[in-house]
Amino acid sequence: MSPRARKGRAATRRPPARRRTRRPGKRRQHADDRLIGLLVAAALAVGLVVAVVGWLLAHWWILIVIGALAVMTGGGWLYQKQQRARWEAVRAQGLRYGLPQLDALHHSRFEDAVRDLMRRDGCPDAVRVGGSGDLGADVKATDPYGRRWVIQCKHRRNGLAGSAVGTPDLQVLNGTARQVHGADVAVMVTNGRVGPAAADRRRPARHGRPLPRQSRAQRGSTGVAG
């Protein structure tokens, strides 16, 4: 092949294609930006903390003032809490309900009243549990002797003129107080009256526990009395 032909062939030959360098993706760039931002924020935070600590050390008396204010605030809050507890105890000790008051209560408020009277008379854990599916227990409490009380409340809007508490009500309490609720003392409290059959019911509860008879919530001002 002649030199001229070789030269023409070399001129028509294309130069090799250059490989394109890949640029870092946008996600990686965003991640790097976030990392740099976090580092800058951390550095600023550390600098701020160091500056504040240095300033407080230079003005140490401010720490004493802040500590004194915190102690005074905490002491005032504790004193108010103790005062409220004392007034609540005084109020509880003086809690009284007259029969007209009991008659005027809603049935749920009647249960609250029985609970409050139990708390007043030395059962601080007394709680109202009455409601749908209570299985004969409206109020539960533990007395200072460790006995578990289960109380069923029967409120009558018309007081003595309302329907009487009957034997089925006592049977429910008798059948669930000990077995279901673990009662040592089972009590029926009502502002109404107890029917003759229920009043004459003296058969002991199961497991040898007697069932106290309760008629009208008499002497309500002295507690839950029977």
Side-chain angles (χ1 to χ4, degrees):
M1 181 181 293
S2 64
R4 182 179 294 180
R6 291 178 182 177
K7 188 175 180 180
R9 186 175 180 182
T12 57
R13 186 181 298 175
R14 295 181 179 179
R18 295 182 181 180
R19 295 182 179 179
R20 297 181 180 179
T21 57
R22 296 182 179 178
R23 296 181 180 179
K26 293 183 179 180
R27 293 183 180 178
R28 183 175 179 182
Q29 185 175 359
H30 290 167
D32 293 341
D33 293 341
R34 285 196 297 269
L35 179 60
I36 293 173
L38 290 175
L39 292 176
V40 172
L44 292 175
V46 171
L48 180 61
V49 170
V50 171
V52 171
V53 171
W55 186 85
L56 289 176
L57 290 177
H59 302 79
W60 53 268
W61 55 272
I62 295 181
L63 295 175
I64 298 177
V65 173
I66 293 175
L69 291 175
V71 172
M72 292 175 60
T73 302
W77 176 82
L78 182 60
Y79 175 77
Q80 291 180 357
K81 184 178 180 180
Q82 291 175 346
Q83 286 295 105
R84 286 195 297 268
R86 290 172 183 172
W87 280 114
E88 182 63 24
V90 171
R91 187 195 69 81
Q93 288 298 324
L95 182 63
R96 295 291 186 272
Y97 285 102
L99 293 179
Q101 288 179 286
L102 295 176
D103 292 342
L105 293 176
H106 184 267
H107 70 274
S108 61
R109 294 296 299 157
F110 181 71
E111 295 171 2
D112 289 337
V114 173
R115 176 204 60 196
D116 293 342
L117 289 171
M118 293 297 293
R119 289 179 179 176
R120 184 200 68 179
D121 292 341
C123 305
D125 68 336
V127 60
R128 181 173 76 89
V129 295
S132 177
D134 56 26
L135 295 177
D138 293 315
V139 176
K140 293 181 181 180
T142 305
D143 66 20
Y145 300 99
R147 297 175 300 181
R148 188 64 172 167
W149 286 61
V150 173
I151 304 173
Q152 188 176 34
C153 303
K154 292 296 181 183
H155 184 264
R156 296 294 183 259
R157 182 180 302 176
N158 297 324
L160 289 173
S163 59
V165 176
T167 301
D169 298 316
L170 294 179
Q171 288 176 337
V172 171
L173 179 62
N174 187 24
T176 61
R178 175 70 178 176
Q179 295 87 334
V180 177
H181 304 291
D184 298 306
V185 181
V187 180
M188 176 74 72
V189 177
T190 180
N191 67 317
R193 57 192 176 86
V194 176
D200 293 338
R201 180 179 172 80
R202 296 174 179 267
R203 186 173 58 187
R206 297 178 185 177
H207 301 282
R209 293 288 180 178
L211 179 65
R213 291 185 302 130
Q214 292 290 323
S215 58
R216 184 164 166 78
Q218 301 177 28
R219 300 180 301 278
S221 61
T222 63
V224 180

